[in-house]
Structure formats: structure tokens, C-alpha cells
Amino acid sequence: MSTVTDAPTRTRGRRPDDDRPPRRIGLSQRLGTWDVKLSPYLYISPFFVLFAITGLFPLLYTAYVSMHDWDQIMGQGEFVGLEHFRFVLGHSDFWVSLRNTISIFLLSSVPQVLVAITLAALLDSNLRARTFWRMGVLLPYVVAPVAVSLIFSNLFADRFGLVNAALGLIGVEPIRWHSDPLASHVAIATMVNFRWTGYNALIFLAAMQAIPRDLYESAWIDGAGRVRQFFSITVPMLRPTIIFVAITSTIGGLQIFDEPRLFDQYGRGGAGSQWKTLTIYLYELGWTQSNFGRASAVAWLLFLVIVAFGLVNLAVTRRIADTR
């Protein structure tokens, strides 16, 4: 009995072109792959290039200058190593300036952040003419620092200042704002807070508006009041913004120069260095005494102080933001 054989059939699921060698990736496809991988780095590279030119290079060059006898006219001198650092650390003006800088920084940055968060919470509520109030808090930031310093130096004048006149109405003796160290620090910190509180409040306001409203509605249903919502929802959700504002306030507060220099007509930080900051001390060493080596040493010590306070602020703000 004969059997009929079927025609040769192919294996199921196998295509006739499966035996062909794999096709090579073309140049256009390679370029497309490289574009996906490299384009994000190319987009952010201008910032790092500018930072290397305007930030990193001056920082390293300042370290190089601090180890040489550098004169304003003659230029680079002999290598002295850490001699300038030893001189600065052994000089009383440095420690007085450091004390004044930290005091003004604490009197300005800490209240500034607290008031800015409170102000942002008020601006985030249902206010009439909200745009007007939000733009109004930014007006002090627009005013030039020189104008702010001149106005506040007259407000805090020792004899005819408006602040002492107002204190006299309630029976308080006139305060010597330009003689007492703590009083001068309070006056200068008031200038700083006047300029920067509204600016930081708008940063906090933008972060608050990004918080999902469902969280507040759920908390309201559960019986949480506005104060409880603020500390249990708003503050924890603002953790990255609080860290950012605290660090930027630290950097700006420790580098303060315009306000203390313009607090009086001489610009030397007071007759007894009552409010002389590290930046004013650095300026005197570099331009008054023409000793760029010692001025560069002060600049590097200020950089280390800023880094130390920045790390402390980072740890503190994280602990505060984590509290419920």
C-alpha cells in the first residue's frame, strides 16, 4: 500500500529569513542612541562650565595666592606656605570679625526663615487681591542695597533716629545703635530681613502651592485644624525647600558686606569694630593694606566657615522637617 508523502513543510513559527545574519546598526541609529544618552549631560554642561570658570578656578587660585607674598603692585612673591593663615588666626581682628559675622547671621537668617514660612502660609490662604499682596512682599528685594542701608542707618541713628524716637514715646531710653555691638547687629540684621524675607516667602509659597490639596482635605475630614495641618503636612512637605532656603541664607548671611559697610559714613565696621564682618576685614587686608596673601587666607577661612555652618544647617533642617 503506497503512502502519499506531503510536500516538505517548514517548522511552525519559523520565518524563512531567520537564518540571515543580524543586520548591523546604521550610523543614524547610533547617533540617535548617543543623543538619548548624552543630551541630558550636554544640556546641563553650560552651568558646570561657567561654574568652573567663575567659581572653581577663583577658589583654587585664591588658595594659591594665600600661600605666597602677593603684593598689589609687585605681584607674586615668595612661597610662604601657611604663614598667612597663622598670622590671621593669631590676630584679634579676625576673631572679632568672626564673632560679629556669626551674630549678625543668626539674628538675620533664623528669624528670616521662620517669618518667611509664616508669611507664605498667609499668602497661600484665601485672601482678597492675592496677587497684589504677593507682589508687595517682593518690593523690598527690588530696592538697591545702598538705598536700604542709607535709610536704615538713619532710622537707627543714635540721636535723631526714628526708632529711638518711637522708643522714647513708651518710656524706653535711647539705644546707642552705632556703639553697642549687639544693638548694631540687630540693626544690620533688620536691614537683611527687610530685603530677603519677602523673596524667601515667595519661594516657600511656590513650594506650598505644589502640595496636593487632597492631603489638606483628608486632614480636615479627620478633624485636624489649620495649625495641625501646617506642622503635620506643610512643614514636612516643604523639607527640600527649607533645606534650600536655609543653605542659601547661610551663604548670604556669612558673606554679608553691603549692609555693615554702609551702616555708617566710614565703612570700617565701627570705631571699635563693633560690626566689622569677615568680608570687611578681608577688604581691608586686600585693598587698604595691599596684602592679597592674607586677604586670600581670610577668604579661604570664610569658605570653611560657610561649609561648616551649611552642614549644620542641613542636619538641623532635616530634623525639623522630619518632625510630625
Side-chain angles (χ1 to χ4, degrees):
M1 185 175 179
S2 61
T3 58
V4 180
T5 58
D6 296 332
T9 58
R10 301 184 182 92
T11 306
R12 289 185 178 182
R14 185 175 181 183
R15 299 179 59 183
D17 55 352
D18 285 347
D19 295 334
R20 294 188 307 172
R23 188 176 60 177
R24 296 182 178 179
I25 300 177
L27 180 60
S28 60
Q29 293 179 342
R30 290 177 182 272
L31 293 177
T33 305
W34 292 344
D35 178 66
V36 174
K37 294 181 178 180
L38 297 179
S39 57
Y41 299 98
L42 294 176
Y43 294 149
I44 64 175
S45 60
F47 166 78
F48 290 98
V49 172
L50 290 176
F51 172 76
I53 297 174
T54 61
L56 184 60
F57 172 74
L59 184 66
L60 298 177
Y61 189 70
T62 301
Y64 176 79
V65 174
S66 66
M67 297 183 181
H68 293 79
D69 270 335
W70 205 284
D71 187 77
Q72 184 177 0
I73 299 176
M74 303 301 297
Q76 180 180 351
E78 62 179 0
F79 177 79
V80 296
L82 300 178
E83 182 61 32
H84 292 318
F85 289 91
R86 283 192 290 267
F87 174 84
V88 170
L89 293 175
H91 206 269
S92 61
D93 284 352
F94 171 80
W95 298 105
V96 172
S97 302
L98 179 61
R99 179 205 65 184
N100 297 337
T101 302
I102 295 176
S103 176
I104 296 173
F105 156 69
L106 294 176
L107 291 173
S108 60
S109 296
V110 176
Q112 182 184 137
V113 174
L114 297 178
V115 174
I117 294 178
T118 306
L119 189 60
L122 295 176
L123 293 175
D124 194 35
S125 60
N126 294 325
L127 294 175
R128 293 184 178 180
R130 288 182 295 181
T131 304
F132 170 78
W133 295 112
R134 292 173 182 178
M135 293 298 297
V137 297
L138 192 62
L139 290 179
Y141 175 73
V142 180
V143 181
V146 176
V148 174
S149 301
L150 291 176
I151 293 172
F152 275 82
S153 62
N154 288 297
L155 289 176
F156 288 99
D158 294 340
R159 293 185 178 181
F160 307 106
L162 183 61
V163 176
N164 277 340
L167 293 176
L169 296 177
I170 58 177
V172 179
E173 293 293 330
I175 300 175
R176 303 179 64 183
W177 298 103
H178 289 75
S179 301
D180 184 68
L182 181 59
S184 61
H185 298 173
V186 172
I188 295 172
T190 305
M191 303 183 204
V192 179
N193 292 332
F194 173 77
R195 289 196 65 235
W196 290 98
T197 300
Y199 176 84
N200 290 327
L202 291 185
I203 296 178
F204 284 124
L205 176 62
M208 288 181 184
Q209 292 180 339
I211 300 175
R213 298 299 169 180
D214 298 341
L215 298 177
Y216 294 102
E217 294 177 0
S218 300
W220 186 264
I221 294 174
D222 292 338
R226 293 187 179 275
V227 177
R228 180 64 177 175
Q229 293 178 18
F230 178 78
F231 287 102
S232 299
I233 299 176
T234 305
V235 173
M237 295 294 289
L238 289 178
R239 172 180 169 177
T241 309
I242 293 175
I243 294 174
F244 170 78
V245 172
I247 292 177
T248 54
S249 299
T250 300
I251 297 173
L254 294 175
Q255 291 180 340
I256 185 173
F257 178 78
D258 294 336
E259 288 83 357
R261 180 166 173 79
L262 296 173
F263 190 54
D264 65 354
Q265 58 183 339
Y266 303 105
R268 298 177 181 177
S273 300
Q274 298 94 327
W275 64 86
K276 179 189 289 185
T277 59
L278 283 176
T279 51
I280 295 179
Y281 180 52
L282 185 155
Y283 179 84
E284 289 182 353
L285 289 175
W287 296 104
T288 304
Q289 303 181 17
S290 299
N291 195 321
F292 286 176
R294 293 175 182 175
S296 299
V298 175
W300 252 92
L301 291 173
L302 177 59
F303 169 73
L304 296 178
V305 170
I306 292 174
V307 171
F309 272 90
L311 294 177
V312 172
N313 267 344
L314 181 62
V316 172
T317 50
R318 280 184 173 178
R319 290 289 301 274
I320 295 175
D322 284 338
T323 57
R324 296 292 191 273

